[in-house]
Each structure stands twice: as structure tokens, then as C-alpha cells.
Amino acid sequence: NTDADPDGGLRFPDNFGWGAATSAYQIEGAAKEDGRGESVWDTFSHTPGRTRNGDTGDVAADHYHRYAQDLDLMRELGLRSYRFSISWPRIQADGSGRPNQRGLDFYRRLLDGLHERGIAPMATLFHWDLPQALQDDGGWENRDTAERFADYADAVFRALGDRVPAWLTINEPKTVVQNGYIWGHHAPGHRDEAAAYLVAHHLQLAHGLAVQALRASGASGRIGPALNLHPCYPADDSAEAAAATRLYDGYENRLYLDSVFKGEYPQDVLADLGPDSRMARGVRDGDLKIISSPVDLLAVQYYTPIYVTGGGGTVRKWPTSEAEWQQIYPEGMYDILTRVTRDYGRVPITITENGLPCPDTPGPDGTIDDAGRVNFLRDHFAAAHRAVRDGVPLESYHVWSLLDNFEWAEGYDQRWGLVYVDYASQRRVLKRSAHWYREVIRRNGL
Ligand code: PNW
């Protein structure tokens, strides 16, 4: 029943999980409350020169205090699913030891509120806010951090497992690797490519250990990785561009997908890194068995394609959004969804992020006409619908983001929300895209 409906629209499968996504550090604020410890993002955002305008997540959208109002907004939108993340330093201030009950209580209140409103929760265990104390011990370069993560995950599963039907382990390991350890414009702000791929391995290991911890905890929820996937295309039809695109795809996609779904790292990437790389030396017997522990779902985050030249560089083919790294190419959504289903089997898929920043300013009457976001989402929903029609087991779709929020190094300048946040008053205003999305959800399609 994903056929065109009588008005010629596109209908999604029954019970399709229309949703929106956020993450803890980007919306919660309340940085010093209820026993929360510091994370690498507190340190990074408070370091002069690291974020635009020196913005920090100290207050953000103040969701920690305003979550009840935000839950009402979700109901007003008609959301069926809400993806959020749990702040590790709220649960373990220093990244280990007995869990902090006040931190757990916040998420319990949030989960109860979702339950009351009939909205299915999807909880991410780690969306980049590593406890600073663990960073001081080497962070993700230290294999022990993966073990600490498994302990944290276990505490969360035992405290909240009765209320969470779907878990995601690590949000976008690749972004931690690239932005955090290669380019250095995300926390912890390192530029050390050798360390970066050891970090990749430890993030993958942490993922696998958390999957095992969920099974051991007896909680019934499903679990999977949250990967930002980039379809890679050759910039021209030379043999050099084709070869460079294959390797690029290895670093962008197969490094993370193959390790989870095939129990191996891609040979071309391993060969490119070399046998003496820190990563190669860090992989121990049995690690890939842990990393490839069977998962229940694959969370895909799609924002942009990448066009690769024969020299291994990249070029732009399509208009970009306000985010200079993002080219607007809805077909890439179709390509990446059909490709993962073809190459990795029919694991249920959820889209956990897709969206764009728009220069949203309220008009004289206070309304916010983000027509660019409506067009973007319409075209990407249509591409996802085609993928479903062609057999992709897609269950749900979470727009990034529910609210305008702290966009990492870009601070509050970039607005990604369906809902506008006036940071002076913390007033929320539904943008045009939010009103439009409510209708999409109501009709279950376009
Ligand atoms: C994601 N890229 O990051 C994150 O999960 C969100 O927290 C973030 O706010 C959102 O996307 C918007 O940026 C990405 O270079 C960072 O393609 C970089 C890329 C994609 C996603």
C-alpha cells in the first residue's frame, strides 16, 4: 500500500514512523545542573576561537527545563517517533561508576511524557558528549573508553530499558573521526590522522560492546548503529576518478558498514592505511566478532553526496545549503538506501537524520516562511518513497531537527529546526515547514 493514493499523492506504509531528531548537548542546556559532569563539548566550546561567536551549549534551547512544552510541540506536529540522545556526563559525571539518579530521572520524565502522548522514543546513547574525565585519560584513542561506554550503556539499559523500544549506539562515528581527529573543528579538536583511525576502531568496538550489553541486560528493545552515509560518485568518467571514488567510499561508508554487517574492515582501506598503522596495530583478535554482533536495525543519516576526482579530491556539482559541506541532491537518498539494502541485506532501516539549515527570520507578522526546507523535505521524502517501492525496508524517518539548536562549531547561526527558537526569550514558533510536515504526517505521505 505504498502506491499513489487517489489524489495522485505518495502514500507511505501503514504505521510509518514520521519523526524528528535532536541531541542532548545541542538542545538541553542546564550544563551544571543535577550533577551533570563536563563533556569534551563543554571544554571545546569554552575554548576561545573554537565555535562561531564563541557560542556554547550552556543554555541552548533550555530543553532540560522546557521538555514538557517541547513534548506538547511534538504532539501538535503529530510526531509518531522522537529521536533524542542521552547525555553520558548526566549519567556518569566522570564517565564511570554508579549512575547519577537525577540524570536518569530527567530521561525517565521525558520517556513518560512521550509515552503519554503516544510518541515512540528512539534513544541514542552517544551523540559526541564524551565525559571530559575520559578524554583526560586519552578519550577514544584509549581502548578502555570502549569498555567504559559499555558500562554506561548497561546502566542506561537497566534504568530505562523498559521504556525504550529502539536504541542507537554511537551517532556518526565518522564525524568524530573526521571532524574531531582529522580536521579538528569538532571536539576534541585534534589533527592527527594516525590517531583518527584508531579512534574509528574503538568507536566501532564500543558499538559492539553496547549491543552485547543490551542483550545481556535482558531489556527487550532493538538496537543498531547510527551512520551518516555519503553516496560517492566519480566527478568525471575517467578510470582514475572511478578508482578514487571506490577508495573514498571505503573511508566514508564501508569502514563502518562492513565492520558491523560483515565482520571485517574493507581490504582497500586497510591496505591504504598500511599494516603498521595505529589502527591496524590496535585491532585485536575477536574485536570484529564483537563489532559485528547482530543488530536489529540500521539508522541512516543522509545529508549530501560526494563527487570524487581522479586525484582523490572532491568537487561540487549541486547547489549547497547554508552549510557549505551540503549539496542538495535528493537522488542520493534513493541511492544510499537501495545500496545498503543490496549490499548488506534486508535489515530494517530508519532514517535518523535528514534536513538542512535555512536563513530563517520571522516575517513582520511573526511567521517563518522556510520554503527551502519544505522543498528539500518534499524531494527527499519522495526519494525515500521510491526506495520503499523498490523494496527497501524503511520503517521511519526523522527530520533533523525538531528545534533550532546549537549547531556545534557553527553555534546558533545555522538554524536546522522545524520549530524556530528565539534564544532571547526561548519562545518556540512553528515554521512553515512544521505546519507542512504535520499535514504530511496526517496524510501519511505527500
Ligand atoms: C550531523 N557532513 O552531523 C549530526 O549528527 C548533528 O548533530 C548535526 O547537527 C547535523 O548533522 C547537522 O550538521 C553531520 O559533513 C556533520 O556531511 C557533518 C556532515 C553530516 C552530518
Side-chain angles (χ1 to χ4, degrees), residues 22 26-27 61 400-401 403-407 411-412 414 416 423:
T22 61
Q26 294 180 273
I27 64 166
W400 184 270
S401 180
L403 301 170
D404 288 341
N405 60 51
F406 175 73
E407 175 54 22
Y412 296 100
Q414 281 183 8
W416 290 75
Y423 293 109

Side-chain angles (χ1 to χ4, degrees), residues 26 127-128 171-172 175 228 230 301 303-304 325 353 400 407-408 416:
Q26 294 180 273
H127 202 121
W128 307 350
N171 180 70
E172 300 192 348
T175 307
N228 56 327
H230 288 76
Q301 322 202 149
Y303 286 96
T304 188
W325 51 265
E353 292 184 24
W400 184 270
E407 175 54 22
W408 308 112
W416 290 75

Side-chain angles (χ1 to χ4, degrees), residues 88 95 130 134-135 137-151 170 181 195 197-210 212 265 278-291:
W88 187 348
L130 185 74
L134 295 185
Q135 187 65 41
D137 286 339
W140 290 111
E141 286 179 70
N142 182 349
R143 184 182 173 96
D144 191 50
T145 298
E147 303 285 348
R148 298 279 70 74
F149 179 71
D151 286 351
I170 308 266
Y181 281 87
Y197 292 100
L198 181 63
V199 163
H201 177 60
H202 291 156
L203 287 163
Q204 293 302 85
L205 187 62
H207 156 83
L209 289 169
Q212 296 190 340
Y265 284 119
R278 282 187 70 190
M279 176 184 170
R281 285 185 284 123
V283 178
R284 298 189 190 164
D285 283 351
D287 282 1
L288 280 147
K289 197 156 188 308
I290 295 169
I291 295 171

Side-chain angles (χ1 to χ4, degrees), residues 43 60 75 102 119 121 147 165 173 193-194 253 301 342 362 367 381 420:
T43 308
R75 180 168 51 193
R102 287 175 295 165
I119 301 167
E147 303 285 348
E193 194 151 349
N253 304 314
Q301 322 202 149
R342 190 168 56 239
T367 62
F381 290 172
Y420 182 85

Side-chain angles (χ1 to χ4, degrees), residues 128 172 175 178-179 183 185-186 228-230 301-307 314-316 318-328 353-357 376 400 407-410 414 416:
W128 307 350
E172 300 192 348
T175 307
Q178 295 181 344
N179 296 28
W183 305 317
H185 56 248
H186 278 187
N228 56 327
L229 300 177
H230 288 76
Q301 322 202 149
Y302 170 70
Y303 286 96
T304 188
I306 298 179
Y307 291 91
T314 61
V315 290
R316 283 178 199 161
W318 305 97
T320 59
S321 74
E322 258 196 338
E324 95 307 317
W325 51 265
Q326 183 178 34
Q327 301 177 60
I328 299 176
E353 292 184 24
N354 170 244
L356 87 171
F376 177 98
W400 184 270
E407 175 54 22
W408 308 112
E410 301 301 326
Q414 281 183 8
W416 290 75

